[in-house]
Amino acid sequence: IDIRLAQYAGLRQIFEKCFRFLQAMARGNDVVQGRLFDRLDRLLSVHGAEAALADALTEVFTGNQEMCLKIRGYQVQRIVELLALHQLDASEFLDLLKAVVKVEELDLPLKRNQAFVMTYINQNRAKLAWIIEKDAAEKRKRLLKAGDLSDPELNYLLRMVDLLATCAEGENRFIESICQNIFLIEDLLEILNDPEISIPCKRPYLRFFVWVYLNTAGGKVESGASELDHDENMWRYIEMLNQSLLKLRNSLKGLERGSKKSMAMALKPGRTPSRQALEAAMQDKDRRIVATARVVDEDFLLYFFEGVLPFLQVFYTDYYQPVGDQHQMEVKTSQELVLNLLHISDEISHNVGDENQFQLLRSTVTTLVNQETLELLQQAEYVTMVTKFQQLSVDVEVDVRSDAMKKYESEFNREEKLNDRLNQFVVNFKKAYEGPNTVRVQIGYPSDTQYCEEDGDEDLPLGKEFQDHLSCFTNRSDGVDKHASKLVEQLFISYSDPDLAKLSEAERLEQERTSVTSLQVLRAMVHNQIMLLPEDDSGRSKAYQRTMERVRLVQDALNAFQSPLKIIPLLSHHNDDIVRETLALLATILYRGNRAVQAGFEYYFLNTREERFFIDVQARLQRSVVATRERRALLAQHRAKVSKSKEMMETLRLKTQGKKAAAKTSLAAAGQVSDEIELKTLEIKEGVHEVEDTSDALRFKDDGYIELILRIMGFMCDGHNRVLQDYLRVQSDNIKSLNLVGETTSYLQLFYGSINPDNIALVTQVFDTLIEFLSGNQENQAVAFDRQIIDAINDVLRLDTSHFTDTPELVCQLKQSAVVVLQSMIEENDPQTIRLSKEILETVHIDALYENMQKAFEEARQNPGEDGEDMRLLAFTIHHILLGLQDFGQKHWGKKWLFSYNPTPEQAGADAVLKDDTMSVEILRGEELQKVYFRVKKKAALREEVKEHLKWNISRESPTDKLRDFLEWAQDIRSDINFQQKVQRHWLASIFISGRVFWHWTLIVLTLALNIVMLASWTAPPDFDERHPQVGDYFYPILFSLGGIHLFLSTCMVVTFYLSNWNNFTFPAIVYTIFRRDPPKESHSAINWFGLQSMYFALFLACSVLSLFFDGYFYCFHLFIIVVNNDILGRVLQSITRNGKSLLWVAALMVIIIYVYAIISFAFLRRSFDRNEGLFCESLGECFVTSIKFGLLSGGGLGEALPPLTYSFQEPGLRIIFDLSFFIIITIIALNIVFGIIVDTFSELRDEKSRAQADMASVCFICGNPSFEFDKRGEGFDKHVKQEHNIWSYLFFFIHLNSILPNDYTSIEEFVAQKLSSNEIDFFPANRALSLAETEDKNAQELTELKRMMQQLLARQEQEDAEQRRQKERQEHKTWEKRHLHESHDEDYEVRETTV
C-alpha cells in the first residue's frame, strides 16, 4: 500500500506513535538500542513516519559508541537517500546523521562516519545541498533574519549547517576543504555580527566557523584565516559576545541556587530543542525552569556552551596576539571577557549538568587566563576570581543527575536499597543454584580446574539442570546419542525453512534461544571430554591418549551428523549470540586438528564451492579493523585534547608563578589586598583523570569474535594439512577467491606499536594461526612475507613490557608464537625458502633477537623449575633461529654477515649456555638436505652403559642394516629414557640413581679392604672340622662396621639396578606360555628376571647379608664386581655365554658318551675300580659319576685313571680300544670342541670390536661416507661425526619428537615422525652431508665461474678475429678504390689527349 495516501492517515499516526514509543524506550537503554540496531535495515524500509523514525534512530546512536562503530556504509547511504527523498518533511535525518558522526559520550567525531556522510551527501548534492548553494544566499539571509524556527526550510538549513560543522570537526582536511567552498569567512562573520539574526540561528554557523576555518588541520594560511587575529569584523563579533556575556553575568547574579540547577539540567546538548524543553517543563509543572528561561535566555546558554566557548578557546589559543599599543582596544576587550567568564563560571560551574560542558568551560577560561597581563593582575577583583576558579578546577565534581532523579532517590531511598539487596540475592541464588565453576562440581570429575570461561566467547550454562539436559543426548559408548542428530537438524531447519520467515517476533526470539541452546549442548558434548584431559601432560601418557581418543570419538560422531557443514551458514545470522555459539562449536569440533573433521571441510569446500564462509570471515576481519581503527582514532583525539589541556594548565601555572610576586607587590603597595592573599597554582590532575574516565569506553574489543575465527582456521590447518592451507589462500574453483592467509597477516598491521593487555591474547592467536598457515607451505610463507609479517615480528620483539607487569606470561606466549612463525619460514632448505630467507635476513632485527634471548634466558635462570619453562623455551627457540640464520649467512655471504653484529658479553654467555643443550641433525626430505636444531632437556637421562651397549652391539653389516637396527635401538632407549625421567621425578629414587657410580666404586674399594683384612687376620683352627677361622679381637668390630657399610651400599646398588631396569625386565618365554599371555616385544635392553645379570645382583645382596653371619666367607664372591661395567672382562664372560647353547649341547653329548663308557665299565671293568684310590663302581650310578670325574680330570682319560690289570692277552687288546676311543672322543675331540667354541667366540668378539672400531673411525654411521671425504672436502671427520652427524643427536631428536605433542610439530618434525611410525629410514642422509654439499656447491660455482671466464675469453677472441677480418676487408676495399680511381684517372687523361 501507499501509506502517503489520505486514507492511511490513521496508519501514519500509529507508525509515528510507535516510533515515539521506541524513542522513549531506547533512551539510555543499551538492550533496546541493540535490538533496534539489529533491525536497522528493516526500520529504514518503513514509510509514512520518517520524522519520528529519524528521532527514534537518533536515540539509538546518541551516546552509544558501539552502535556508531557498527553502522555500515550502505546503511549511512540509505539514511542519506531517505533524507534526499523527503528533504524538508524529514530534516530530522540530519540530526540522525549528526548522532552517527559524533560520539556524544566522548564528545569526539568518528572519521569513518564523517567520510561516509560527506561522500553520500556529495553524491546527492543536487537534492540535499540546494539550501547551501551560492545562488540561495538571499533566501538563506531572509530565512535567518525571519528566525521562524517552525519554518521547515530554516530548520533544514540550520540542521544541515550543524551537520557539516560536525563532519568537519576533528581536523579533517578533506571535509574542511569541501566546506570552505560553501561559506566564506566574510559571509560567516556577517551572519554572526548581524543583530537581526537570532541566537539559535547563529549557533550552527558559529560551530561551522570554528571547525571549518579556525580549528583546522590545514592551518591558518590554507584556510584563509591567517589575518583574523586583528580583523575588524572579528573583534566586532567578540565585542558583541562580551556584551552578551555581561548580560548573562548580570542575569545569573539574581538567580537562586535551585533555579541555577534547574537551568543547567535543561542544557543537555544534542537531545531536545529548547522550545520542546520548555513545553516539557510546563507539562511537568516545573515552574522553575520556565521562570529561569524568562530571566536567562536558554538559547544563549546553548549557544554559549556549543559555540561560544569552543570559539573563544580556539581563537585565544591560536590567533590572539596582543602586541603593540595599536591593539589596546583588543586587550581591554579581552580583559573584560576574562572577567565576565570568571564570574559566569563561578555562578554555574557547580550546576553544570554535563561533564563535557564543565571540561569545556574550564579549559576555555584557562585559555583566556593564560593571556592575562600584569595590569590585569593588579586588579583585586581579577585576583579573587582567578583564585576561586583555580580552586573550582581542582575540587568540583560534576553531578549529572536530574532534579527528578534526585527527588526520586531521596523519596524512594528505602525501596532502592531493598531493590539492590534483591538484585544481590538473585546473583547469589544463581551462583548457589549453578554451583562453582569447576570441573569437580559441574561434571563430577576430581579436578578443580575452571569448567568454562566466564563472561567470554566460550562460556557455557552452569548447573545440574544443563548437565541433565546434556545427558539426554549422550551415551557411554562414543559419548553421543543418536538423538543428538535432531539438534543438528533443528539448526539446519532454523535457517533453511522458508516458513520460519512467517514467525512473529516473539516466536522468532524463542527460535533463536532454542538455536543457542542447541549449539551449547552440542559443544558441551566435546567440551566435557576435553575437561577430562590430564593437566600439564606432554600428551604421551596413556591416560592422556585414552582421554584424547574419547574426545575424537565424540568429534567424529558429531562430524558423522555433518554438524560442521550444516551450521556454517549460521555464521551469517543477524543474532550475535548464534554466531558466537556457532564459532565456538566449530572450534570445539576441530579441537587438536581432528583429521576426520578436516576431511569433512575439505570435501565441503571442494565439492560445494562454498563462498559464504570465506566472505563472512573476510567481512568480520575487515569490520574489526575498521572498528579498532576508529577506537584508536578516538583515543588519539582524546589524548590530544587532554595533552592540550595539560599544556594550557602548565602555561597558566608558570605564568602565575612568574607574575605572582610582582602582582602581590603592586597590590600591597596599592593597599588593595592583604599579605594573606596568595595566588594558588593549579594542580594538573585533570588530564590523567580524563584518560582513566574514558579508558573503558575506548578499550580494545574483539569485534566479530576474531579470536574464535582464527582458532577455527588454525585447527583446520593443524597437523600441516596442505590442502586446507592452500585452499584458505586461494579458492581456484570459486568465482571469487579470497586470500584469508593474506587477510590474517594484514590484520597484524592493526596492532603495530599498540599491543596492550586488552589485545595481546588476540595478537597471540593471530600468530598461532599463522604458524599453522605457514608451516611447510612456501606459497603461504611468501604471501605472509609480502604482507610485512617480519615487521610485525620485529614489533613484537621490541614490545615495551612495562604495561604487562602483572601478566608477563602473556608477553612470553606472544613472543614465543611470533618467533615460531619466523622459525617456520626459515626451517627448510629448498630454493624457494632460500630466496625468501635472503629477504628475511635483510629485514629481521638480529639485535632484538639477541636481546630477547638474553632476557628470556636470565628470567628462566631465576626460575629454574616449571615456572621458568616458558621463558626457557623462548630462549631456546630464538637461539635455534639465530643458529639457522648463522648457517644460512655463512653459506651465502660468508662469516662476515651475521657476525657484523657483536653480541654483548651477557648475550654471548647466554648463547654459549644454550648451545650446550642444543643439538642438530640433518634430514633428507625429497632431494634437499634440511638441518634441524632442537633442545635436549636432559642429556644425563641417557646412561653411559646404554650408550656403550649400543655402540658395540649394533649391527654393522651394511649401511641399511645399521640404520634399521639403530631405529630399533632408538625405540628401546627412548622407552628407557622416558622411564628414567619418570623414576627420577621421585626424590628418593633420584638419589639412588644419581649415586650409581658412587655405589659401584665404593663397593669395589670396600670389598677389597674386607678381603685384605681376611687375608691378614685369618688363621686355621686346630680342628679340621671347624669352619670358623681363628682371628684377633679386632677382626669382628672391623667386620661388622665395614660389613654394615658394605650391606648398605650393596642394598643401594641392587635397588639402583632394579629401579633403573624395572621397565626392561621380562620373564622367560615359557612363563608367558603357561599364563597364556603375549610375550613383550623383543628389546635390546631386555633383562630376564632369571638371567645371569639379575641373579648376580640378587646373590650379591644375599652374600653381603650372609657374610655378616659367616665370618665374611662370602665376600670373595663380591670380587666379581670388577666384571660389572668392564668391557674386557665382559667380553671374556660373553665368549662363554654368547654360544652357551652350543656349549650345553656339546656337554650333553659328552655326558652321553661318558654314560656309554660307564655302562661298559660297569659290565666289564668293575675289577679295575679301586675304592682305595677313590674309584667306585658298586653301582651304575657310582660308576657313572666316577667315569665323569676321572674321565675329564685325567689327562689320558679313563685309561689313565683305571689300573691296567691283566689276566689274559685278550684283556689288554680290549683295554686299548676302550682307552684310546675314550681318549680320542672325549679328551681330544669333545674338550677341544668346547675350547674351540670359546676361543672362536672370543676371537669373533674381538674381530667385531675391531670392525666396529674401524667402522667408527673410518665411516660415518649416519651417511656412510668415508672419513677421507670429509678430511679432503669438508672440515674434518671428527667434526662431522661429533657435530653434523652425531649418532646421539639423532637419538635425542627421536626422543625430542616423543616429548612434544604431534600438533606442535614443525614441518620437518612432522615428516620425520611419519617416517618413524612406518619404520622408514629414507629420511637419513645416505651418502649426503651438508658439509660435502657446500664443497660441491663451491666446486660447482668455481666450475661455473671458470666456464664463464672461458666463454668471455672465447667471445673476446671471436670479437678480435672479427675485427681483424673487418680491418682486412676495409684495407682491401681501400686498395681497390685507390686502384679503381687511378685507372679512371688514366682513362680520363687519354680521352682528353684524344680530344685535344
Side-chain angles (χ1 to χ4, degrees):
I1 63 175
D2 187 357
I3 200 170
R4 292 172 295 180
L5 298 178
Q7 60 265 35
Y8 296 114
L11 187 57
R12 288 198 299 272
Q13 292 179 0
I14 293 175
F15 278 13
E16 182 177 353
K17 291 185 177 181
C18 286
F19 285 129
R20 295 300 178 194
F21 173 72
L22 291 175
Q23 178 184 4
M25 291 289 293
R27 183 168 298 165
N29 191 318
D30 293 338
V31 176
V32 176
Q33 290 174 354
R35 292 275 181 88
L36 292 177
F37 180 82
D38 291 340
R39 294 152 180 81
L40 181 59
D41 294 337
R42 186 182 302 179
L43 291 173
L44 291 176
S45 64
V46 176
H47 301 287
E50 284 75 15
L53 169 64
D55 287 337
L57 294 180
T58 301
E59 283 297 338
V60 173
F61 293 96
T62 300
N64 194 320
Q65 175 189 341
E66 292 301 316
M67 300 301 103
C68 294
L69 291 173
K70 282 185 177 181
I71 192 169
R72 310 286 291 279
Y74 76 89
Q75 294 170 331
V76 177
Q77 183 180 14
R78 177 60 180 159
I79 295 172
V80 175
E81 290 173 351
L82 288 173
L83 176 62
L85 178 64
H86 299 281
Q87 297 185 9
L88 300 180
D89 295 334
S91 60
E92 288 81 1
F93 280 116
L94 291 168
D95 291 336
L96 171 58
L97 292 173
K98 179 183 175 183
V100 169
V101 165
K102 187 174 181 180
V103 182
E104 180 185 307
E105 61 177 338
L106 302 175
D107 194 30
L108 295 173
L110 293 170
K111 294 187 180 297
R112 178 185 71 111
N113 294 357
Q114 287 176 325
F116 282 155
V117 171
M118 291 303 298
T119 299
Y120 298 129
I121 285 180
N122 283 331
Q123 292 177 0
N124 297 271
R125 183 162 184 166
K127 297 180 180 180
L128 295 174
W130 54 270
I131 194 68
I132 57 175
E133 296 293 348
K134 292 183 179 180
D135 54 2
E138 292 299 326
K139 184 175 184 179
R140 290 196 301 271
K141 188 178 295 185
R142 186 177 65 254
L143 290 171
L144 290 172
K145 288 188 176 183
D148 185 6
L149 295 178
S150 62
D151 187 347
E153 291 186 340
L154 179 59
N155 262 306
Y156 187 83
L157 171 62
L158 297 178
R159 283 170 167 161
M160 176 61 75
V161 175
D162 201 20
L163 174 62
L164 293 176
T166 305
C167 288
E169 189 175 343
E171 300 182 356
N172 196 319
R173 179 174 294 186
F174 172 70
I175 299 177
E176 289 169 4
S177 62
I178 295 176
C179 294
Q180 287 166 6
N181 293 325
I182 298 176
F183 298 121
L184 300 177
I185 294 178
E186 293 79 7
D187 299 334
L188 294 171
L189 288 175
E190 181 182 355
I191 294 173
L192 295 175
N193 286 322
D194 193 337
E196 298 181 11
I197 299 177
S198 63
I199 293 299
C201 296
K202 288 183 179 180
R203 181 165 56 88
Y205 280 92
L206 180 55
R207 294 188 68 249
F208 188 94
F209 182 45
V210 170
W211 297 114
V212 175
Y213 285 104
L214 298 183
N215 192 1
T216 63
K220 302 177 185 178
V221 178
E222 186 175 333
S223 65
S226 58
E227 303 296 331
L228 287 178
D229 51 346
H230 303 297
D231 185 81
E232 182 180 353
N233 292 326
M234 174 67 78
W235 282 101
R236 186 183 304 121
Y237 173 67
I238 294 175
E239 180 63 30
M240 184 185 298
L241 278 180
N242 202 10
Q243 297 299 325
S244 300
L245 292 176
L246 180 60
K247 182 180 177 181
L248 176 63
R249 166 187 168 184
N250 295 329
S251 301
L252 289 172
K253 285 183 178 179
L255 292 181
E256 297 177 359
R257 189 173 183 87
S259 299
K260 293 178 183 178
K261 291 183 178 180
S262 301
M263 170 202 66
M265 291 309 304
L267 300 182
K268 295 285 289 184
R271 290 291 182 135
T272 330
S274 58
R275 299 186 180 214
Q276 293 184 11
L278 290 175
E279 292 174 2
M282 292 179 66
Q283 292 175 1
D284 294 339
K285 299 180 180 181
D286 190 347
R287 300 300 180 183
R288 286 184 301 172
I289 297 181
V290 179
T292 300
R294 292 196 186 106
V295 178
V296 179
D297 188 355
E298 182 187 348
D299 290 331
F300 182 78
L301 284 175
L302 290 173
Y303 178 59
F304 173 74
F305 278 106
E306 296 187 7
V308 173
L309 290 180
F311 164 74
L312 293 176
Q313 183 178 2
V314 174
F315 180 77
Y316 278 93
T317 300
D318 299 331
Y319 293 87
Y320 178 60
Q321 297 178 355
V323 180
D325 297 334
Q326 65 271 26
H327 302 301
Q328 287 301 314
M329 185 59 68
E330 297 175 4
V331 174
K332 183 178 179 181
T333 302
S334 299
Q335 292 176 356
E336 295 175 357
L337 192 64
V338 171
L339 287 173
N340 289 331
L341 281 175
L342 286 171
H343 281 284
I344 292 172
S345 63
D346 181 52
E347 294 292 340
I348 67 173
S349 58
H350 283 283
N351 307 301
V352 176
D354 183 85
E355 186 171 0
N356 290 329
Q357 289 180 345
F358 175 77
Q359 299 293 347
L360 179 61
L361 175 62
R362 183 173 61 178
S363 61
T364 304
V365 174
T366 303
T367 301
L368 269 70
V369 169
N370 284 339
Q371 306 300 331
E372 66 188 11
T373 62
L374 184 60
E375 178 184 353
L376 190 60
L377 279 169
Q378 294 175 354
Q379 300 181 18
E381 179 187 9
Y382 176 77
V383 173
T384 303
M385 296 308 300
V386 169
T387 304
K388 285 185 177 181
F389 171 73
Q390 291 174 335
Q391 188 61 37
L392 287 173
S393 298
V394 178
D395 297 339
V396 167
E397 294 184 3
V398 179
D399 189 355
V400 297
R401 297 180 300 165
S402 66
D403 287 343
M405 180 58 69
K406 293 177 182 177
K407 183 177 180 181
Y408 174 85
E409 290 180 356
S410 63
E411 293 183 1
F412 297 97
N413 184 41
R414 185 168 177 272
E415 286 79 356
E416 280 292 313
K417 291 182 178 179
L418 184 61
N419 188 53
D420 291 340
R421 295 176 65 182
L422 178 61
N423 290 333
Q424 186 62 43
F425 169 76
V426 171
V427 173
N428 294 339
F429 182 81
K430 182 175 181 293
K431 291 183 178 180
Y433 178 75
E434 293 177 345
N437 183 17
T438 62
V439 175
R440 184 187 306 275
V441 174
Q442 297 301 321
I443 60 177
Y445 184 75
S447 173
D448 293 327
T449 308
Q450 187 181 32
Y451 174 69
C452 66
E453 179 184 2
E454 292 187 89
D455 299 327
D457 293 343
E458 295 183 273
D459 59 341
L460 282 171
L462 301 178
K464 186 175 183 298
E465 180 181 355
F466 178 74
Q467 297 299 327
D468 291 342
H469 188 190
L470 175 63
S471 64
C472 298
F473 301 94
T474 58
N475 58 40
R476 294 186 177 181
S477 58
D478 57 359
V480 178
D481 191 80
K482 61 181 180 180
H483 297 298
S485 62
K486 303 298 182 183
L487 297 176
V488 179
E489 292 300 323
Q490 186 274 330
L491 292 169
F492 178 74
I493 294 172
S494 68
Y495 66 83
S496 62
D497 190 351
D499 293 336
L500 293 176
K502 303 176 184 178
L503 296 176
S504 65
E505 183 70 9
E507 291 173 336
R508 190 163 62 83
L509 291 175
E510 182 63 29
Q511 174 61 43
E512 291 177 359
R513 285 194 292 269
T514 303
S515 297
V516 169
T517 304
S518 299
L519 290 167
Q520 289 175 338
V521 169
L522 291 172
R523 177 158 63 95
M525 295 178 185
V526 186
H527 180 79
N528 284 2
Q529 300 299 326
I530 294 175
M531 288 296 99
L532 303 182
L533 289 172
E535 300 177 28
D536 300 328
D537 197 288
S538 64
R540 294 294 181 176
S541 67
K542 293 182 179 179
Y544 183 92
Q545 292 177 357
R546 284 196 303 268
T547 308
M548 195 63 215
E549 184 61 28
R550 184 79 175 177
V551 173
R552 293 192 190 97
L553 285 175
V554 179
Q555 290 174 327
D556 294 344
L558 294 179
N559 185 58
F561 299 149
Q562 297 184 337
S563 302
L565 314 183
K566 289 185 177 181
I567 66 174
I568 282 180
L570 289 174
L571 296 178
S572 302
H573 203 281
H574 71 275
N575 189 315
D576 274 356
D577 290 336
I578 292 180
V579 174
R580 174 176 59 84
E581 288 298 336
T582 301
L583 291 170
L585 176 57
L586 289 175
T588 306
I589 294 178
L590 279 164
Y591 179 75
R592 293 292 187 189
N594 186 289
R595 295 290 185 180
V597 181
Q598 288 179 347
F601 274 99
E602 292 177 21
Y603 178 84
Y604 180 67
F605 288 150
L606 297 175
N607 291 277
T608 62
R609 297 186 176 181
E610 166 65 28
E611 295 182 352
R612 183 181 303 174
F613 173 81
F614 301 93
I615 293 173
D616 288 339
V617 170
Q618 185 191 46
R620 287 185 174 275
L621 286 172
Q622 292 176 350
R623 287 201 296 270
S624 177
V625 169
V626 170
T628 303
R629 285 176 177 169
E630 284 299 322
R631 282 197 186 91
R632 193 170 297 164
L634 288 174
L635 184 59
Q637 293 180 61
H638 178 73
R639 286 176 175 170
K641 184 186 295 185
V642 170
S643 177
K644 190 174 182 180
S645 176
K646 291 173 66 176
E647 289 176 2
M648 289 190 298
M649 300 299 289
E650 180 68 12
T651 303
L652 174 62
R653 184 180 66 83
L654 294 175
K655 277 192 171 186
T656 304
Q657 285 180 343
K659 297 177 180 178
K660 182 171 58 177
K664 288 179 65 176
T665 302
S666 177
L667 291 172
Q672 296 175 344
V673 64
S674 65
D675 294 337
E676 296 179 356
I677 296 179
E678 181 179 355
L679 295 178
K680 299 181 180 178
T681 59
L682 289 177
E683 297 290 339
I684 305 175
K685 297 179 179 179
E686 68 281 354
V688 177
H689 178 66
E690 291 170 10
V691 174
E692 292 176 353
D693 285 346
T694 59
S695 60
D696 289 339
L698 298 177
R699 288 176 64 180
F700 171 83
K701 295 181 181 178
D702 185 4
D703 297 285
Y705 311 114
I706 303 302
E707 190 171 350
L708 276 175
I709 292 174
L710 294 171
R711 194 181 308 160
I712 290 170
M713 293 192 294
F715 283 148
M716 283 183 180
C717 302
D718 199 358
H720 311 91
N721 190 315
R722 186 60 182 262
V723 175
L724 289 177
Q725 281 180 337
D726 292 336
Y727 201 81
L728 290 176
R729 183 185 72 255
V730 55
Q731 302 86 51
S732 57
D733 55 342
N734 286 356
I735 298 175
K736 183 179 181 181
S737 178
L738 300 175
N739 189 348
L740 295 186
V741 176
E743 293 287 343
T744 304
T745 309
S746 299
Y747 189 71
L748 278 175
Q749 299 175 6
L750 186 65
F751 305 100
Y752 283 176
S754 60
I755 299 175
N756 53 57
D758 295 328
N759 59 32
I760 188 171
L762 178 59
V763 179
T764 304
Q765 183 58 59
V766 175
F767 279 110
D768 289 341
T769 302
L770 287 175
I771 292 171
E772 305 301 338
F773 285 167
L774 307 185
S775 185
N777 194 309
Q778 288 76 18
E779 291 79 9
N780 287 357
Q781 293 171 7
V783 169
F785 182 82
D786 293 338
R787 301 292 182 100
Q788 288 83 42
I789 183 65
I790 303 301
D791 293 339
I793 295 174
N794 290 334
D795 182 58
V796 171
L797 292 175
R798 298 194 180 278
L799 178 64
D800 181 12
T801 59
S802 59
H803 304 296
F804 302 91
T805 55
D806 295 333
T807 56
E809 68 279 358
L810 297 180
V811 179
C812 180
Q813 293 171 6
L814 172 61
K815 292 186 176 182
Q816 176 65 23
S817 299
V819 297
V820 170
V821 170
L822 178 60
Q823 186 182 37
S824 66
M825 297 179 70
I826 64 172
E827 66 173 330
E828 299 194 29
N829 198 32
D830 57 277
Q832 187 171 353
T833 303
I834 291 175
R835 289 192 297 270
L836 184 63
S837 298
K838 289 181 180 179
E839 300 182 22
I840 291 176
L841 290 173
E842 297 172 355
T843 54
V844 71
H845 294 172
I846 301 297
D847 57 336
L849 287 172
Y850 269 107
E851 290 172 5
N852 281 272
M853 180 191 70
Q854 177 203 348
K855 290 180 181 178
F857 172 77
E858 291 176 352
E859 292 184 21
R861 186 166 55 181
Q862 294 173 2
N863 300 281
E866 291 295 328
D867 295 338
E869 182 59 28
D870 291 340
M871 283 294 179
R872 200 171 294 110
L873 179 61
L874 174 61
F876 272 104
T877 305
I878 298 177
H879 176 67
H880 298 161
I881 291 173
L882 289 171
L883 290 176
L885 293 176
Q886 284 180 0
D887 293 340
F888 188 84
Q890 291 174 7
K891 178 178 180 181
H892 295 279
W893 289 301
K895 292 186 176 181
K896 63 181 181 181
W897 169 76
L898 191 62
F899 295 99
S900 59
Y901 173 77
N902 295 319
T904 63
E906 294 79 8
Q907 294 171 356
D911 186 76
V913 175
L914 294 172
K915 197 170 186 178
D916 291 338
D917 290 329
T918 296
M919 288 184 173
S920 66
V921 295
E922 294 179 5
I923 302 298
L924 181 62
R925 185 177 185 181
E927 296 298 325
E928 300 293 338
L929 272 179
Q930 319 286 350
K931 190 170 186 177
V932 182
Y933 290 96
F934 62 96
R935 172 190 175 190
V936 181
K937 292 186 177 180
K938 291 184 178 180
K939 291 183 180 180
L942 179 59
R943 295 177 291 167
E944 287 297 325
E945 57 265 30
V946 175
K947 292 172 67 175
E948 291 295 319
H949 191 44
L950 181 148
K951 186 167 61 176
W952 299 112
N953 293 281
I954 196 168
S955 174
R956 299 179 183 270
E957 297 297 329
S958 66
T960 302
D961 291 339
K962 281 196 297 187
L963 296 178
R964 291 194 180 280
D965 197 29
F966 176 63
L967 288 184
E968 295 179 3
W969 276 90
Q971 292 179 1
D972 298 337
I973 295 175
R974 184 174 60 193
S975 176
D976 179 71
I977 289 178
N978 291 337
F979 178 76
Q980 297 299 321
Q981 293 177 344
K982 181 179 179 180
V983 170
Q984 290 184 12
R985 293 193 189 107
H986 193 279
W987 66 272
L988 184 59
S990 64
I991 292 176
F992 280 110
I993 293 177
S994 60
R996 179 190 299 110
V997 177
F998 175 77
W999 315 139
H1000 176 76
W1001 288 104
T1002 306
L1003 276 173
I1004 289 178
V1005 173
L1006 196 58
T1007 301
L1008 288 174
L1010 285 168
N1011 282 278
I1012 291 173
V1013 170
M1014 290 164 56
L1015 287 172
S1017 59
W1018 277 19
T1019 57
D1023 188 359
F1024 289 102
D1025 294 329
E1026 180 62 36
R1027 299 292 180 263
H1028 297 284
Q1030 289 185 350
V1031 295
D1033 296 337
Y1034 62 87
F1035 175 75
Y1036 286 105
I1038 295 176
L1039 175 66
F1040 290 125
S1041 58
L1042 295 182
I1045 298 174
H1046 191 280
L1047 177 60
F1048 171 75
L1049 294 175
S1050 300
T1051 304
C1052 291
M1053 189 182 72
V1054 173
V1055 170
T1056 300
F1057 168 75
Y1058 283 103
L1059 273 178
S1060 302
N1061 297 283
W1062 189 267
N1063 198 42
N1064 299 323
F1065 281 113
T1066 61
F1067 290 97
I1070 189 173
V1071 175
Y1072 297 102
T1073 303
I1074 294 173
F1075 291 97
R1076 297 181 180 179
R1077 300 281 185 87
D1078 294 331
K1081 183 181 177 181
E1082 293 185 4
S1083 171
H1084 293 281
S1085 56
I1087 299 176
N1088 197 314
W1089 275 105
F1090 301 102
L1092 181 62
Q1093 192 175 11
S1094 56
M1095 295 299 295
Y1096 166 78
F1097 281 96
L1099 289 174
F1100 191 93
L1101 180 60
C1103 291
S1104 182
V1105 175
L1106 293 174
S1107 295
L1108 292 175
F1109 297 98
F1110 294 96
D1111 303 311
Y1113 271 104
F1114 294 91
Y1115 284 131
C1116 60
F1117 174 80
H1118 293 102
L1119 293 173
F1120 290 107
I1121 195 174
I1122 63 173
V1123 180
V1124 179
N1125 299 328
N1126 189 303
D1127 182 65
I1128 297 175
L1129 297 179
R1131 291 184 180 279
V1132 172
L1133 291 180
Q1134 194 176 4
S1135 64
I1136 301 173
T1137 59
R1138 184 169 185 175
N1139 289 321
K1141 186 180 292 185
S1142 300
L1143 292 175
L1144 288 177
W1145 283 114
V1146 171
L1149 178 62
M1150 292 174 62
V1151 170
I1152 293 172
I1153 294 173
I1154 293 174
Y1155 177 68
V1156 172
Y1157 277 93
I1159 291 177
I1160 296 174
S1161 300
F1162 181 77
F1164 301 103
L1165 300 176
R1166 280 197 310 274
R1167 67 182 68 182
S1168 300
F1169 287 80
D1170 187 0
R1171 294 175 61 88
N1172 297 325
E1173 298 294 334
L1175 300 173
F1176 301 94
C1177 196
E1178 298 298 328
S1179 64
L1180 181 59
E1182 292 180 355
C1183 193
F1184 176 60
V1185 172
T1186 302
S1187 299
I1188 291 176
K1189 176 182 177 182
F1190 291 97
L1192 295 176
L1193 294 180
S1194 301
L1198 282 177
E1200 182 178 346
L1202 297 178
L1205 300 177
T1206 57
Y1207 299 96
S1208 64
F1209 179 76
Q1210 183 179 4
E1211 290 181 3
L1214 295 176
R1215 282 293 301 272
I1216 291 173
I1217 296 173
F1218 179 84
D1219 294 342
L1220 286 177
S1221 61
F1222 187 92
F1223 177 76
I1224 294 172
I1225 294 173
I1226 299 300
T1227 305
I1228 296 179
I1229 298 177
L1231 290 178
N1232 283 314
I1233 288 175
V1234 173
F1235 298 148
I1237 291 175
I1238 295 174
V1239 172
D1240 291 344
T1241 302
F1242 186 81
S1243 300
E1244 182 182 352
L1245 292 172
R1246 183 184 58 195
D1247 293 341
E1248 286 180 359
K1249 182 177 180 180
S1250 300
R1251 287 196 300 270
Q1253 288 176 334
D1255 185 75
M1256 288 186 288
S1258 60
V1259 179
C1260 174
F1261 183 90
I1262 300 298
C1263 65
N1265 284 312
S1267 59
F1268 64 83
E1269 289 286 347
F1270 300 98
D1271 295 332
K1272 180 176 67 175
R1273 297 162 53 190
E1275 298 184 14
F1277 183 69
D1278 289 340
K1279 180 180 178 181
H1280 174 73
V1281 297
K1282 290 180 180 179
Q1283 299 181 13
E1284 297 170 357
H1285 285 180
N1286 189 332
I1287 181 175
W1288 310 120
S1289 297
Y1290 282 86
L1291 179 61
F1292 279 111
F1293 181 63
F1294 300 152
I1295 297 171
H1296 165 74
L1297 294 180
N1298 192 59
S1299 65
I1300 59 178
L1301 287 171
N1303 303 80
D1304 297 332
Y1305 285 157
T1306 64
S1307 176
I1308 298 177
E1309 289 172 348
E1310 174 76 14
F1311 169 75
V1312 176
Q1314 291 178 354
K1315 294 294 183 181
L1316 289 176
S1317 63
S1318 57
N1319 291 323
E1320 299 180 25
I1321 61 172
D1322 54 351
F1323 65 89
F1324 284 104
N1327 301 318
R1328 299 278 299 275
L1330 283 175
S1331 57
L1332 297 181
E1334 291 174 2
T1335 305
E1336 293 173 358
D1337 292 341
K1338 292 179 182 178
N1339 294 337
Q1341 291 176 0
E1342 293 175 357
L1343 291 174
T1344 303
E1345 182 66 18
L1346 182 61
K1347 183 179 179 180
R1348 186 182 62 79
M1349 295 174 61
M1350 291 296 297
Q1351 290 175 347
Q1352 289 179 350
L1353 290 174
L1354 290 174
R1356 187 180 302 172
Q1357 185 65 35
E1358 291 177 356
Q1359 290 177 358
E1360 292 177 355
D1361 293 344
E1363 184 64 25
Q1364 290 178 0
R1365 286 195 298 270
R1366 285 194 295 271
Q1367 291 288 346
K1368 185 177 181 181
E1369 290 175 358
R1370 282 197 293 268
Q1371 187 66 30
E1372 291 176 353
H1373 184 68
K1374 288 180 179 180
T1375 304
W1376 180 84
E1377 285 182 345
K1378 186 176 181 181
R1379 186 174 63 250
H1380 180 70
L1381 290 174
H1382 183 70
E1383 291 175 354
S1384 298
H1385 179 72
D1386 292 342
E1387 291 177 356
D1388 292 341
Y1389 182 74
E1390 292 176 359
V1391 171
R1392 285 197 299 272
E1393 283 186 343
T1394 304
T1395 302
V1396 172

